[in-house]
Amino acid sequence: MESKENQWSDVLVKSKQGHLKRWLRLLLKSKTGTIGLLIVLLIIFIAIFAKLLAPHDPNQINAAMMLKPPAWVEGGDTDYILGTDNLGRDILSRIIYGSQISLVVGVASVILAGIIGIFIGLVSGFYGGFLDNILMRIVDSFLAIPTILFALVILTVFGPSALTLIVVLGVTNWVQYARLIRGEVLSLKEREFVRAARSMGVRDHKIILKHLLPNVISPFIVISTLSVATTIILEASLSFLGLGIQPPTISWGGILSDGRDYVATSWWLAAFPGLAITITVLGMIFLGDWLRDVLDPREKKV
Amino acid sequence: MTVILSVRGLKKYFDVTEGWWKKEKQYLKAVDHISFDVNHGETLGIVGESGCGKSTTGNLIMQLLEKTEGEIIFQGVDLSTLSKQQLRKKRAEMQMIFQDPFSSLNPRMKVFDIIAEPLLTHLNLSSEKLKEEVLSLMDQVGLDRSYIHRYPHEFSGGQRQRIGIARAIALQPKLIICDEPVSALDVSIQSQILNLMSKLQKELRLTFIFIAHGLPAVKYISDKIAVMYLGKIVELTTKEKLFSKPLHPYTEGLLSAVPLPDPMLRNKKDGVILEGDIPSPTNIPSGCRFHPRCPHAQEKCKNEEPTFIAHEEEHYVACHFPLKEGVGVLEK
């Protein structure tokens, strides 16, 4: 236990001091971790440089080029590598632009959920007692609501937009962080360094900020990478259902949704945006798994 | 000699009633009516088996736990009468050194931040003054100044304990409660740390309450020793008297359990080996709580609880039949 913990803090400490080499060595040890990181970096790169990378204007309607199959299939056009949709828009360009919204919604909602969850978790775990009871029952009731249903209701009431989507996904996701962080805090506050801080009269908010928060960040990072992945799927599902991102803003779920009526004859309309989602999510999960191995001593295989 | 801390009738009962439908409450009597005084500049050792309430006593004095009953009077003030604000100020005068040097230091803080924390909490120092102060504390406990920006995991157990000690003496407290400060360390390091602590005690005129589960560590550093059994102090006297002429059979048992380095002496030693385990503090035996394990137990011990009285000057014991010829550890 002790040595594992040492390695764990070792990794964090060294990285803080700029020992990137150490991280890199640890990363290269794990194949899936490397693949995951590469995928995530690639998606981020694509999202940032979408304008330069996309071969066509993603919203350019071209009646002459409707439902073209991918370039390597008979009847395909090399100009449109992944084919075109029912309005003659380039699928590749749409997927490239779609990565922006997927990432933004995924990351922003996780950050929002994280801020709420960490705060509630810290307060609940640290003070315990009645407050803890109340907060945890609230968490339980949130867990009892089906996420998709809740999101659908809110989006119908407030109207679908990227911002509402972020808020809705953030608000439904904070509970898992609150529970995780609370659990960590419960064990941390019995550790002797927290008791030491108390015995020397350090104020509560300082204990929370200086002793508890820095020690719950790494489990948070692990869960949040995995949670970005599920959020991207959720966003795609909502967009597919028509309550997510609205056109002309392009999202992967939206592309899927647009192609719904033509899937029987034109498989590429659904296959490529679906693939984009799968690869991104897989990359996030690989990265998250690796981070957990490195950051979280309890999940570590000896 | 002035009394710096007196504890009177201190009790701590934990409610361990299972289920809300049970009418009768069950209590774990961790500390059950103990009283003692500590003089300024001296060291009181508290020994006993694990689970006897010695650490709870330490936590109660430090106000980390709320007492059930009794008084803790520190420098003439009953600590429970203080407001939160006053208590926080008072905490500067009493500090604690912990058992586990691995969990007592925050893994995310550098040595500087750890030692500076009490100073930042209670004093208003400029950053240069603060650094100076931390460096001089590091000198005092024998830590190299170059370690100031390192993290706790880069140190060995003994060095970590030095960091913990530096943190405890930073505010120049009057009283330090040492909760088994050496029991997690290698034997060779133990003596270094004990030497450091007694050096600091002389230099800074500290008062120690030294909690330990074995007598050897306590023997070195203590002036007076209290032996605890199941939440009660069974014997309290000076180190010399305790080691040469113990009055309580439990003390005698503890003394016999101290290993002797000389095998010749070991064979001669006609001590008592304690049988059995410490009973559960939720179900304390009637009468004298030591009677089921006591080799000299009689009928009276089963029914009547002995009072804690001065058998002779400075020698308190709670036993109906104190040993007449107590067998101490053979003096070398």
Side-chain angles (χ1 to χ4, degrees), chain A residues 12 18 31 38 110 164 192 209 239 245 248 285 297:
Chain A
L12 282 157
K31 255 185 224 159
L38 287 179
V110 164
T164 5
E192 285 180 346
L209 288 179
S239 296
I245 305 300
I285 289 174

Side-chain angles (χ1 to χ4, degrees), chain A residues 213-230:
Chain A
L213 185 63
N215 284 296
V216 299
I217 286 298
S218 51
F220 166 72
I221 290 174
V222 174
I223 300 288
S224 59
T225 19
L226 298 172
S227 160
V228 167
T230 51

Side-chain angles (χ1 to χ4, degrees), chain A residues 12 193 195 200 203 211 214, chain B residues 59 88 103 108 117 122:
Chain A
L12 282 157
F193 67 84
R195 292 206 293 137
M200 67 180 87
R203 285 161 197 277
H211 292 282
Chain B
N59 286 329
R88 185 173 287 134
S103 93
R108 301 295 162 84
E117 190 173 34
H122 289 281

Side-chain angles (χ1 to χ4, degrees), chain A residues 48 53 75-76 93 129 134 152 175 189 191 196 198 201 231 233-234 242 270:
Chain A
I48 292 172
L53 292 169
S93 307
I134 296 288
L152 282 179
V175 285
K189 77 172 180 180
R191 295 269 294 274
R198 275 198 188 166
T231 312
I233 293 183
L234 208 56

